[in-house]
mmCIF file of all heavy atoms in Angstrom:
data_model
loop_
_atom_site.group_PDB
_atom_site.id
_atom_site.type_symbol
_atom_site.label_atom_id
_atom_site.label_comp_id
_atom_site.label_asym_id
_atom_site.label_seq_id
_atom_site.Cartn_x
_atom_site.Cartn_y
_atom_site.Cartn_z
ATOM 1 N N LYS A 378 91.064 187.916 58.027
ATOM 2 C CA LYS A 378 89.664 187.899 57.646
ATOM 3 C C LYS A 378 89.537 187.402 56.202
ATOM 4 O O LYS A 378 90.440 187.592 55.391
ATOM 5 C CB LYS A 378 89.038 189.293 57.756
ATOM 6 C CG LYS A 378 88.897 189.824 59.174
ATOM 7 C CD LYS A 378 88.174 191.155 59.184
ATOM 8 C CE LYS A 378 87.963 191.674 60.615
ATOM 9 N NZ LYS A 378 87.202 192.954 60.633
ATOM 10 N N VAL A 379 88.396 186.772 55.924
ATOM 11 C CA VAL A 379 88.085 186.312 54.574
ATOM 12 C C VAL A 379 86.723 186.866 54.186
ATOM 13 O O VAL A 379 85.739 186.683 54.905
ATOM 14 C CB VAL A 379 88.077 184.779 54.476
ATOM 15 C CG1 VAL A 379 87.786 184.344 53.037
ATOM 16 C CG2 VAL A 379 89.393 184.186 54.960
ATOM 17 N N PHE A 380 86.690 187.539 53.024
ATOM 18 C CA PHE A 380 85.447 188.118 52.501
ATOM 19 C C PHE A 380 85.079 187.396 51.215
ATOM 20 O O PHE A 380 85.920 187.198 50.342
ATOM 21 C CB PHE A 380 85.628 189.606 52.236
ATOM 22 C CG PHE A 380 85.998 190.412 53.448
ATOM 23 C CD1 PHE A 380 87.335 190.552 53.854
ATOM 24 C CD2 PHE A 380 85.023 191.035 54.230
ATOM 25 C CE1 PHE A 380 87.675 191.276 54.969
ATOM 26 C CE2 PHE A 380 85.348 191.775 55.355
ATOM 27 C CZ PHE A 380 86.695 191.884 55.736
ATOM 28 N N GLY A 381 83.810 186.986 51.113
ATOM 29 C CA GLY A 381 83.373 186.233 49.951
ATOM 30 C C GLY A 381 83.512 187.023 48.669
ATOM 31 O O GLY A 381 83.134 188.194 48.592
ATOM 32 N N GLY A 382 84.052 186.376 47.634
ATOM 33 C CA GLY A 382 84.217 187.059 46.365
ATOM 34 C C GLY A 382 82.899 187.421 45.718
ATOM 35 O O GLY A 382 82.764 188.473 45.084
ATOM 36 N N ALA A 383 81.915 186.556 45.854
ATOM 37 C CA ALA A 383 80.622 186.785 45.195
ATOM 38 C C ALA A 383 79.823 187.867 45.891
ATOM 39 O O ALA A 383 79.187 188.704 45.235
ATOM 40 C CB ALA A 383 79.823 185.484 45.174
ATOM 41 N N THR A 384 79.843 187.901 47.229
ATOM 42 C CA THR A 384 78.956 188.813 47.984
ATOM 43 C C THR A 384 79.702 189.892 48.746
ATOM 44 O O THR A 384 79.119 190.904 49.113
ATOM 45 C CB THR A 384 78.111 188.011 48.967
ATOM 46 O OG1 THR A 384 78.993 187.388 49.938
ATOM 47 C CG2 THR A 384 77.320 186.924 48.251
ATOM 48 N N GLY A 385 80.970 189.657 49.057
ATOM 49 C CA GLY A 385 81.725 190.632 49.862
ATOM 50 C C GLY A 385 81.475 190.478 51.352
ATOM 51 O O GLY A 385 82.048 191.219 52.150
ATOM 52 N N THR A 386 80.656 189.515 51.762
ATOM 53 C CA THR A 386 80.362 189.346 53.180
ATOM 54 C C THR A 386 81.516 188.650 53.893
ATOM 55 O O THR A 386 82.253 187.863 53.297
ATOM 56 C CB THR A 386 79.078 188.519 53.366
ATOM 57 O OG1 THR A 386 79.236 187.255 52.711
ATOM 58 C CG2 THR A 386 77.886 189.250 52.763
ATOM 59 N N LEU A 387 81.648 188.918 55.186
ATOM 60 C CA LEU A 387 82.689 188.295 56.003
ATOM 61 C C LEU A 387 82.334 186.838 56.243
ATOM 62 O O LEU A 387 81.274 186.518 56.797
ATOM 63 C CB LEU A 387 82.814 189.035 57.322
ATOM 64 C CG LEU A 387 83.901 188.528 58.285
ATOM 65 C CD1 LEU A 387 85.280 188.763 57.695
ATOM 66 C CD2 LEU A 387 83.760 189.250 59.634
ATOM 67 N N ILE A 388 83.223 185.919 55.842
ATOM 68 C CA ILE A 388 82.933 184.501 56.030
ATOM 69 C C ILE A 388 83.910 183.850 57.022
ATOM 70 O O ILE A 388 83.689 182.706 57.427
ATOM 71 C CB ILE A 388 82.981 183.732 54.697
ATOM 72 C CG1 ILE A 388 84.343 183.873 54.012
ATOM 73 C CG2 ILE A 388 81.884 184.219 53.759
ATOM 74 C CD1 ILE A 388 84.438 183.090 52.716
ATOM 75 N N ARG A 389 84.985 184.570 57.402
ATOM 76 C CA ARG A 389 85.905 184.010 58.395
ATOM 77 C C ARG A 389 86.682 185.138 59.059
ATOM 78 O O ARG A 389 87.060 186.111 58.410
ATOM 79 C CB ARG A 389 86.842 182.984 57.768
ATOM 80 C CG ARG A 389 87.630 182.179 58.779
ATOM 81 C CD ARG A 389 88.003 180.838 58.223
ATOM 82 N NE ARG A 389 86.809 180.050 57.864
ATOM 83 C CZ ARG A 389 86.715 179.266 56.800
ATOM 84 N NH1 ARG A 389 87.731 179.139 56.005
ATOM 85 N NH2 ARG A 389 85.603 178.601 56.574
ATOM 86 N N SER A 390 86.969 184.981 60.373
ATOM 87 C CA SER A 390 87.724 185.984 61.120
ATOM 88 C C SER A 390 88.394 185.287 62.280
ATOM 89 O O SER A 390 87.739 184.642 63.098
ATOM 90 C CB SER A 390 86.799 187.110 61.616
ATOM 91 O OG SER A 390 87.521 188.035 62.393
ATOM 92 N N PHE A 391 89.745 185.396 62.381
ATOM 93 C CA PHE A 391 90.458 184.736 63.467
ATOM 94 C C PHE A 391 91.841 185.371 63.632
ATOM 95 O O PHE A 391 92.337 186.081 62.748
ATOM 96 C CB PHE A 391 90.592 183.229 63.192
ATOM 97 C CG PHE A 391 91.371 182.896 61.939
ATOM 98 C CD1 PHE A 391 92.754 182.646 61.993
ATOM 99 C CD2 PHE A 391 90.735 182.836 60.712
ATOM 100 C CE1 PHE A 391 93.460 182.348 60.842
ATOM 101 C CE2 PHE A 391 91.444 182.529 59.563
ATOM 102 C CZ PHE A 391 92.812 182.299 59.615
ATOM 103 N N LEU A 392 92.476 185.070 64.779
ATOM 104 C CA LEU A 392 93.826 185.530 65.050
ATOM 105 C C LEU A 392 94.798 184.390 64.702
ATOM 106 O O LEU A 392 94.714 183.316 65.289
ATOM 107 C CB LEU A 392 93.993 185.931 66.513
ATOM 108 C CG LEU A 392 93.196 187.143 66.976
ATOM 109 C CD1 LEU A 392 93.432 187.403 68.467
ATOM 110 C CD2 LEU A 392 93.574 188.393 66.173
ATOM 111 N N ALA A 393 95.696 184.630 63.762
ATOM 112 C CA ALA A 393 96.640 183.598 63.350
ATOM 113 C C ALA A 393 97.709 183.356 64.408
ATOM 114 O O ALA A 393 98.215 182.238 64.530
ATOM 115 C CB ALA A 393 97.280 183.987 62.023
ATOM 116 N N TYR A 394 98.068 184.389 65.170
ATOM 117 C CA TYR A 394 99.157 184.282 66.154
ATOM 118 C C TYR A 394 98.711 184.983 67.445
ATOM 119 O O TYR A 394 98.684 186.219 67.508
ATOM 120 C CB TYR A 394 100.431 184.920 65.641
ATOM 121 C CG TYR A 394 100.872 184.391 64.293
ATOM 122 C CD1 TYR A 394 100.556 185.070 63.129
ATOM 123 C CD2 TYR A 394 101.587 183.208 64.186
ATOM 124 C CE1 TYR A 394 100.937 184.573 61.894
ATOM 125 C CE2 TYR A 394 101.998 182.714 62.957
ATOM 126 C CZ TYR A 394 101.656 183.398 61.801
ATOM 127 O OH TYR A 394 102.046 182.928 60.586
#
Side-chain angles (χ1 to χ4, degrees):
K378 292 184 178 182
V379 181
F380 300 86
T384 64
T386 57
L387 181 66
I388 59 178
R389 191 153 299 143
S390 177
F391 62 93
L392 294 178
Y394 305 97

